[in-house]
Amino acid sequence: MRDRPDSFDEGLLGPALGAWGIEAGVLEYAPVGFGDYHWVADGRWFITVADVRRRGFDGLRLAMETAAALREEAGLDFVVAPLRATDGTTLLRLDRRRWAMSVFPFSDGVSGEFGQERTAEDRAAVIDLLAALHATPPPVTAPPRPLELSDRAGLEQALQDSDPPWLGGPYAEPARELIAEHAGTLRRRLSEFDRMAADAGEPVVTHGEPHPGNLLRSGERRLLVDWDTVGLAPPERDLWLVARDDDDLARYADATGRTPSRAALELYRLRWALDDVAECVALFRSPHGHTRDAEISWTALTDTLGALAERAAM
Protein backbone atom coordinates (compact mmCIF):
# COMPACT_ATOMS: atom_id res chain seq x y z
CA MET A 1 0.00 0.00 0.00
CA ARG A 2 1.12 3.57 -0.66
CA ASP A 3 -0.33 4.83 2.64
CA ARG A 4 0.91 3.57 5.98
CA PRO A 5 -1.63 1.47 7.91
CA ASP A 6 -3.91 3.28 10.31
CA SER A 7 -3.87 2.35 13.98
CA PHE A 8 -0.73 0.24 13.62
CA ASP A 9 2.18 0.56 15.99
CA GLU A 10 5.34 0.19 13.90
CA GLY A 11 7.23 -0.28 17.15
CA LEU A 12 5.90 -3.85 17.17
CA LEU A 13 8.05 -4.83 14.21
CA GLY A 14 11.50 -4.74 15.79
CA PRO A 15 10.65 -7.04 18.71
CA ALA A 16 8.58 -9.32 16.45
CA LEU A 17 11.60 -9.89 14.22
CA GLY A 18 13.19 -11.61 17.19
CA ALA A 19 10.96 -14.60 16.40
CA TRP A 20 13.15 -15.03 13.29
CA GLY A 21 16.37 -14.35 15.20
CA ILE A 22 16.70 -10.98 13.44
CA GLU A 23 17.95 -7.80 15.11
CA ALA A 24 17.24 -5.04 12.62
CA GLY A 25 18.97 -1.70 12.82
CA VAL A 26 17.00 0.13 10.12
CA LEU A 27 13.33 -0.36 9.19
CA GLU A 28 12.07 1.53 6.15
CA TYR A 29 8.47 1.61 4.97
CA ALA A 30 8.10 0.34 1.38
CA PRO A 31 5.08 1.92 -0.39
CA VAL A 32 4.54 -0.92 -2.87
CA GLY A 33 1.75 -3.33 -3.76
CA PHE A 34 -1.90 -3.10 -2.86
CA GLY A 35 -3.62 -4.80 0.05
CA ASP A 36 -0.79 -5.44 2.52
CA TYR A 37 1.88 -3.21 4.08
CA HIS A 38 5.61 -3.66 3.69
CA TRP A 39 8.90 -2.68 5.30
CA VAL A 40 12.53 -3.43 4.45
CA ALA A 41 14.83 -4.33 7.34
CA ASP A 42 18.53 -3.54 6.92
CA GLY A 43 18.20 -4.08 3.17
CA ARG A 44 18.14 -7.84 3.82
CA TRP A 45 14.60 -8.76 4.81
CA PHE A 46 11.22 -7.85 3.38
CA ILE A 47 8.46 -7.64 5.98
CA THR A 48 4.78 -7.98 5.10
CA VAL A 49 2.05 -6.98 7.55
CA ALA A 50 -1.48 -8.10 6.71
CA ASP A 51 -4.85 -7.08 8.12
CA VAL A 52 -6.23 -10.56 8.87
CA ARG A 53 -9.72 -9.25 9.51
CA ARG A 54 -10.13 -9.22 5.70
CA ARG A 55 -8.93 -12.74 4.85
CA GLY A 56 -8.59 -14.59 8.15
CA PHE A 57 -5.43 -15.60 9.97
CA ASP A 58 -5.80 -19.32 9.29
CA GLY A 59 -6.33 -18.82 5.55
CA LEU A 60 -3.25 -16.63 5.26
CA ARG A 61 -1.22 -19.06 7.37
CA LEU A 62 -2.10 -21.91 4.99
CA ALA A 63 -1.07 -19.79 2.00
CA MET A 64 2.30 -18.95 3.57
CA GLU A 65 2.90 -22.59 4.53
CA THR A 66 2.05 -23.65 0.97
CA ALA A 67 4.50 -21.16 -0.55
CA ALA A 68 7.22 -22.36 1.82
CA ALA A 69 6.52 -25.99 0.91
CA LEU A 70 6.63 -25.22 -2.82
CA ARG A 71 10.15 -23.89 -2.42
CA GLU A 72 11.49 -26.18 0.30
CA GLU A 73 9.93 -29.50 -0.71
CA ALA A 74 9.02 -29.15 -4.38
CA GLY A 75 12.21 -27.22 -5.20
CA LEU A 76 10.52 -24.40 -7.13
CA ASP A 77 13.28 -21.81 -6.87
CA PHE A 78 11.18 -19.08 -8.53
CA VAL A 79 8.89 -19.02 -5.48
CA VAL A 80 9.81 -16.14 -3.15
CA ALA A 81 8.56 -17.86 -0.01
CA PRO A 82 8.38 -16.66 3.58
CA LEU A 83 11.18 -17.51 5.94
CA ARG A 84 10.39 -19.76 8.87
CA ALA A 85 10.61 -18.33 12.36
CA THR A 86 12.70 -20.22 14.92
CA ASP A 87 9.60 -22.24 15.88
CA GLY A 88 9.02 -23.27 12.24
CA THR A 89 6.02 -21.02 11.58
CA THR A 90 5.67 -18.59 8.66
CA LEU A 91 3.07 -16.15 10.05
CA LEU A 92 3.15 -14.35 13.41
CA ARG A 93 0.27 -12.58 15.11
CA LEU A 94 1.19 -9.05 16.15
CA ASP A 95 -1.98 -8.51 18.16
CA ARG A 96 -5.11 -10.46 19.09
CA ARG A 97 -7.35 -9.74 16.12
CA ARG A 98 -6.00 -7.53 13.33
CA TRP A 99 -2.33 -7.65 12.36
CA ALA A 100 -0.05 -10.54 11.35
CA MET A 101 3.48 -10.54 9.93
CA SER A 102 5.61 -12.63 7.58
CA VAL A 103 9.29 -12.17 6.74
CA PHE A 104 10.86 -12.82 3.34
CA PRO A 105 14.41 -12.64 2.03
CA PHE A 106 14.90 -9.33 0.24
CA SER A 107 15.03 -10.14 -3.46
CA ASP A 108 16.91 -7.66 -5.60
CA GLY A 109 15.10 -7.25 -8.91
CA VAL A 110 12.83 -5.11 -11.04
CA SER A 111 9.07 -5.59 -11.00
CA GLY A 112 6.42 -4.34 -13.36
CA GLU A 113 3.03 -2.76 -12.72
CA PHE A 114 -0.40 -4.30 -12.77
CA GLY A 115 -1.93 -3.87 -16.22
CA GLN A 116 1.45 -3.43 -17.91
CA GLU A 117 1.75 -5.12 -21.30
CA ARG A 118 4.27 -7.96 -21.44
CA THR A 119 6.44 -8.81 -24.40
CA ALA A 120 6.01 -12.21 -26.07
CA GLU A 121 9.34 -13.23 -24.49
CA ASP A 122 8.18 -12.28 -21.01
CA ARG A 123 4.85 -14.06 -21.46
CA ALA A 124 6.66 -17.20 -22.55
CA ALA A 125 8.91 -17.08 -19.48
CA VAL A 126 5.96 -16.68 -17.10
CA ILE A 127 3.97 -19.42 -18.84
CA ASP A 128 6.93 -21.76 -18.30
CA LEU A 129 6.92 -20.91 -14.57
CA LEU A 130 3.18 -21.50 -14.36
CA ALA A 131 3.46 -24.79 -16.21
CA ALA A 132 6.00 -25.97 -13.62
CA LEU A 133 3.83 -24.75 -10.76
CA HIS A 134 0.66 -26.35 -12.11
CA ALA A 135 2.45 -29.69 -12.58
CA THR A 136 3.60 -29.75 -8.95
CA PRO A 137 1.76 -32.10 -6.57
CA PRO A 138 -0.22 -29.92 -4.14
CA PRO A 139 1.25 -29.48 -0.66
CA VAL A 140 -1.13 -30.72 2.02
CA THR A 141 -1.59 -27.12 3.18
CA ALA A 142 -2.76 -25.84 -0.22
CA PRO A 143 -6.15 -24.19 0.37
CA PRO A 144 -8.99 -24.59 -2.13
CA ARG A 145 -9.84 -21.43 -4.07
CA PRO A 146 -13.49 -21.92 -5.01
CA LEU A 147 -14.86 -20.05 -7.97
CA GLU A 148 -16.86 -17.45 -6.11
CA LEU A 149 -16.82 -13.71 -5.64
CA SER A 150 -15.07 -12.49 -2.51
CA ASP A 151 -17.82 -10.06 -1.43
CA ARG A 152 -20.82 -10.74 -3.61
CA ALA A 153 -23.22 -9.97 -0.78
CA GLY A 154 -21.69 -6.53 -0.32
CA LEU A 155 -21.88 -5.76 -4.04
CA GLU A 156 -25.51 -6.88 -4.30
CA GLN A 157 -26.38 -4.82 -1.22
CA ALA A 158 -24.77 -1.77 -2.82
CA LEU A 159 -26.88 -2.32 -5.95
CA GLN A 160 -29.98 -2.25 -3.77
CA ASP A 161 -28.88 0.77 -1.71
CA SER A 162 -28.83 3.20 -4.61
CA ASP A 163 -30.56 6.03 -2.74
CA PRO A 164 -28.31 8.67 -1.16
CA PRO A 165 -26.37 9.11 0.92
CA TRP A 166 -23.32 6.92 1.20
CA LEU A 167 -21.29 8.44 4.01
CA GLY A 168 -17.89 6.70 4.01
CA GLY A 169 -15.83 9.67 2.86
CA PRO A 170 -15.04 11.87 -0.15
CA TYR A 171 -15.51 9.09 -2.71
CA ALA A 172 -18.70 7.66 -1.19
CA GLU A 173 -21.29 9.67 -3.13
CA PRO A 174 -19.41 9.59 -6.45
CA ALA A 175 -19.13 5.81 -6.03
CA ARG A 176 -22.87 5.50 -5.30
CA GLU A 177 -23.69 7.49 -8.43
CA LEU A 178 -21.32 5.37 -10.52
CA ILE A 179 -22.76 2.09 -9.23
CA ALA A 180 -26.30 3.33 -9.87
CA GLU A 181 -25.31 4.29 -13.43
CA HIS A 182 -23.87 0.82 -14.10
CA ALA A 183 -26.40 -1.20 -12.07
CA GLY A 184 -27.89 -2.87 -15.13
CA THR A 185 -24.48 -3.89 -16.46
CA LEU A 186 -23.42 -5.29 -13.08
CA ARG A 187 -26.59 -7.36 -12.70
CA ARG A 188 -26.19 -8.79 -16.20
CA ARG A 189 -22.53 -9.60 -15.63
CA LEU A 190 -23.31 -11.29 -12.28
CA SER A 191 -25.86 -13.48 -14.05
CA GLU A 192 -23.31 -14.25 -16.76
CA PHE A 193 -20.78 -15.24 -14.11
CA ASP A 194 -23.26 -17.68 -12.58
CA ARG A 195 -23.98 -19.30 -15.96
CA MET A 196 -20.30 -19.70 -16.82
CA ALA A 197 -19.15 -20.94 -13.39
CA ALA A 198 -20.63 -24.39 -13.92
CA ASP A 199 -17.89 -25.21 -16.46
CA ALA A 200 -14.83 -24.74 -14.21
CA GLY A 201 -12.14 -27.39 -14.74
CA GLU A 202 -9.96 -29.63 -12.56
CA PRO A 203 -7.80 -27.87 -9.95
CA VAL A 204 -4.03 -27.51 -9.78
CA VAL A 205 -1.76 -25.42 -7.56
CA THR A 206 -2.22 -21.83 -8.75
CA HIS A 207 -0.53 -18.58 -7.74
CA GLY A 208 -3.69 -16.52 -8.18
CA GLU A 209 -2.22 -13.17 -9.24
CA PRO A 210 0.78 -13.65 -11.59
CA HIS A 211 0.53 -10.14 -13.04
CA PRO A 212 3.62 -8.01 -13.81
CA GLY A 213 3.53 -6.38 -10.36
CA ASN A 214 4.14 -9.78 -8.76
CA LEU A 215 7.00 -10.76 -11.06
CA LEU A 216 10.58 -9.80 -10.25
CA ARG A 217 13.19 -9.87 -12.98
CA SER A 218 16.59 -10.49 -11.45
CA GLY A 219 19.16 -10.80 -14.20
CA GLU A 220 17.92 -13.63 -16.40
CA ARG A 221 15.77 -15.07 -13.62
CA ARG A 222 12.08 -14.44 -13.04
CA LEU A 223 10.74 -14.71 -9.51
CA LEU A 224 7.09 -14.81 -8.41
CA VAL A 225 6.23 -12.92 -5.23
CA ASP A 226 3.06 -12.33 -3.21
CA TRP A 227 1.78 -15.86 -2.58
CA ASP A 228 -1.09 -14.99 -0.25
CA THR A 229 -3.57 -16.04 -2.95
CA VAL A 230 -1.96 -19.43 -3.70
CA GLY A 231 -4.38 -22.35 -3.80
CA LEU A 232 -6.14 -25.10 -5.70
CA ALA A 233 -8.10 -23.93 -8.73
CA PRO A 234 -8.27 -24.50 -12.50
CA PRO A 235 -5.09 -23.33 -14.28
CA GLU A 236 -7.04 -20.60 -16.08
CA ARG A 237 -7.11 -18.74 -12.75
CA ASP A 238 -3.47 -17.87 -13.52
CA LEU A 239 -3.38 -18.06 -17.29
CA TRP A 240 -5.91 -15.32 -18.05
CA LEU A 241 -3.45 -12.80 -16.59
CA VAL A 242 -0.64 -13.96 -18.87
CA ALA A 243 -1.78 -15.56 -22.13
CA ARG A 244 -2.61 -13.14 -24.93
CA ASP A 245 -2.65 -15.21 -28.14
CA ASP A 246 -2.77 -18.72 -29.59
CA ASP A 247 1.00 -19.09 -29.31
CA ASP A 248 0.85 -18.53 -25.56
CA LEU A 249 -1.89 -21.11 -25.11
CA ALA A 250 -0.06 -23.59 -27.34
CA ARG A 251 3.14 -23.16 -25.31
CA TYR A 252 1.27 -24.00 -22.12
CA ALA A 253 -0.46 -26.99 -23.74
CA ASP A 254 2.89 -28.33 -25.02
CA ALA A 255 4.44 -28.03 -21.56
CA THR A 256 1.56 -29.57 -19.61
CA GLY A 257 -0.49 -31.66 -22.01
CA ARG A 258 -3.52 -29.65 -20.98
CA THR A 259 -5.29 -27.32 -23.41
CA PRO A 260 -6.58 -24.18 -21.67
CA SER A 261 -10.30 -23.47 -21.92
CA ARG A 262 -11.09 -20.13 -23.53
CA ALA A 263 -14.41 -20.05 -21.71
CA ALA A 264 -12.63 -20.52 -18.37
CA LEU A 265 -10.12 -17.79 -19.23
CA GLU A 266 -13.00 -15.39 -19.83
CA LEU A 267 -14.73 -16.56 -16.65
CA TYR A 268 -11.69 -15.72 -14.50
CA ARG A 269 -11.30 -12.39 -16.29
CA LEU A 270 -14.92 -11.57 -15.36
CA ARG A 271 -14.44 -12.78 -11.80
CA TRP A 272 -11.44 -10.48 -11.34
CA ALA A 273 -13.38 -7.47 -12.60
CA LEU A 274 -16.40 -8.13 -10.38
CA ASP A 275 -14.15 -8.70 -7.36
CA ASP A 276 -12.40 -5.38 -8.06
CA VAL A 277 -15.74 -3.57 -8.14
CA ALA A 278 -16.87 -5.22 -4.90
CA GLU A 279 -13.59 -4.37 -3.14
CA CYS A 280 -13.73 -0.73 -4.22
CA VAL A 281 -17.37 -0.39 -3.21
CA ALA A 282 -16.60 -1.85 0.23
CA LEU A 283 -13.79 0.68 0.64
CA PHE A 284 -15.88 3.68 -0.38
CA ARG A 285 -18.82 2.67 1.82
CA SER A 286 -16.42 2.49 4.78
CA PRO A 287 -14.62 5.39 6.49
CA HIS A 288 -11.89 6.64 4.13
CA GLY A 289 -9.99 9.80 3.29
CA HIS A 290 -8.60 11.45 0.20
CA THR A 291 -5.46 9.32 0.17
CA ARG A 292 -3.22 7.93 -2.55
CA ASP A 293 -4.67 4.44 -2.07
CA ALA A 294 -8.21 5.82 -2.31
CA GLU A 295 -7.28 7.61 -5.56
CA ILE A 296 -5.92 4.35 -6.99
CA SER A 297 -9.11 2.54 -5.98
CA TRP A 298 -11.28 5.21 -7.61
CA THR A 299 -9.37 4.89 -10.87
CA ALA A 300 -9.69 1.11 -10.68
CA LEU A 301 -13.45 1.36 -10.09
CA THR A 302 -14.11 3.73 -12.99
CA ASP A 303 -11.87 1.80 -15.39
CA THR A 304 -13.31 -1.58 -14.44
CA LEU A 305 -16.92 -0.48 -14.72
CA GLY A 306 -16.18 1.04 -18.10
CA ALA A 307 -14.58 -2.19 -19.30
CA LEU A 308 -17.50 -4.29 -18.02
CA ALA A 309 -19.97 -2.05 -19.83
CA GLU A 310 -17.93 -2.17 -23.04
CA ARG A 311 -17.67 -5.97 -23.03
CA ALA A 312 -21.37 -6.33 -22.21
CA ALA A 313 -22.19 -4.22 -25.28
CA MET A 314 -20.12 -6.42 -27.64
Side-chain angles (χ1 to χ4, degrees):
M1 300 290 276
R2 273 61 172 178
D3 306 317
R4 290 175 183 264
D6 63 324
S7 306
F8 177 69
D9 180 6
E10 295 185 24
L12 294 171
L13 296 177
L17 285 169
W20 281 265
I22 296 172
E23 294 184 12
V26 178
L27 281 168
E28 297 178 304
Y29 185 69
V32 296
F34 200 85
D36 294 332
Y37 303 90
H38 309 285
W39 287 260
V40 175
D42 290 348
R44 298 177 59 193
W45 297 283
F46 190 77
I47 301 165
T48 294
V49 173
D51 185 343
V52 294
R53 297 177 307 177
R54 296 190 303 115
R55 70 187 78 178
F57 179 86
D58 289 338
L60 183 57
R61 178 183 58 80
L62 288 174
M64 293 297 97
E65 290 292 331
T66 299
L70 289 170
R71 186 174 182 93
E72 297 166 356
E73 298 170 18
L76 299 183
D77 62 1
F78 58 83
V79 176
V80 180
L83 300 171
R84 294 191 181 276
T86 54
D87 65 357
T89 59
T90 56
L91 185 67
L92 175 71
R93 285 189 182 276
L94 294 174
D95 61 15
R96 298 184 111 182
R97 58 184 299 269
R98 185 172 185 184
W99 303 109
M101 181 177 97
S102 292
V103 179
F104 300 80
F106 184 83
S107 300
D108 191 15
V110 179
S111 68
E113 296 286 341
F114 177 77
Q116 176 183 335
E117 283 296 322
R118 290 182 167 113
T119 65
E121 178 187 3
D122 282 338
R123 295 197 308 272
V126 179
I127 286 170
D128 290 348
L129 298 186
L130 294 178
L133 173 65
H134 295 173
T136 300
V140 295
T141 53
R145 298 296 182 186
L147 186 55
E148 58 190 22
L149 302 179
S150 59
D151 189 16
R152 180 167 186 157
L155 178 56
E156 291 182 335
Q157 186 64 47
L159 288 169
Q160 294 177 19
D161 296 343
S162 58
D163 294 333
W166 287 3
L167 301 174
Y171 290 97
E173 272 298 284
R176 182 194 63 78
E177 293 171 357
L178 198 59
I179 293 299
E181 177 186 346
H182 289 85
T185 293
L186 286 169
R187 291 191 176 99
R188 287 191 296 273
R189 299 295 266 165
L190 285 167
S191 296
E192 180 183 354
F193 175 82
D194 292 338
R195 290 193 303 270
M196 297 171 66
D199 297 327
E202 293 298 316
V204 297
V205 182
T206 59
H207 176 279
E209 298 183 351
H211 56 72
N214 285 335
L215 187 77
L216 285 181
R217 187 164 187 162
S218 180
E220 295 303 312
R221 299 180 65 211
R222 270 88 166 177
L223 306 172
L224 276 171
V225 303
D226 202 2
W227 289 83
D228 59 298
T229 55
V230 66
L232 299 175
E236 290 83 2
R237 179 179 186 240
D238 286 338
L239 289 173
W240 82 267
L241 277 160
V242 182
R244 287 293 176 267
D245 55 34
D246 290 344
D247 289 344
D248 294 339
L249 298 179
R251 186 181 187 94
Y252 180 84
D254 289 343
T256 63
R258 180 169 180 167
T259 301
S261 162
R262 293 182 184 275
L265 292 170
E266 183 57 33
L267 173 61
Y268 275 98
R269 188 185 312 277
L270 176 58
R271 177 182 180 269
W272 183 284
L274 292 172
D275 266 348
D276 266 0
V277 172
E279 183 176 344
C280 293
V281 166
L283 170 64
F284 294 138
R285 298 194 77 185
S286 303
H288 65 274
H290 203 298
T291 65
R292 178 59 180 146
D293 288 328
E295 291 174 6
I296 292 171
S297 295
W298 175 252
T299 299
L301 179 60
T302 56
D303 289 351
T304 302
L305 286 172
L308 283 170
E310 181 178 346
R311 294 189 69 83
M314 294 174 61

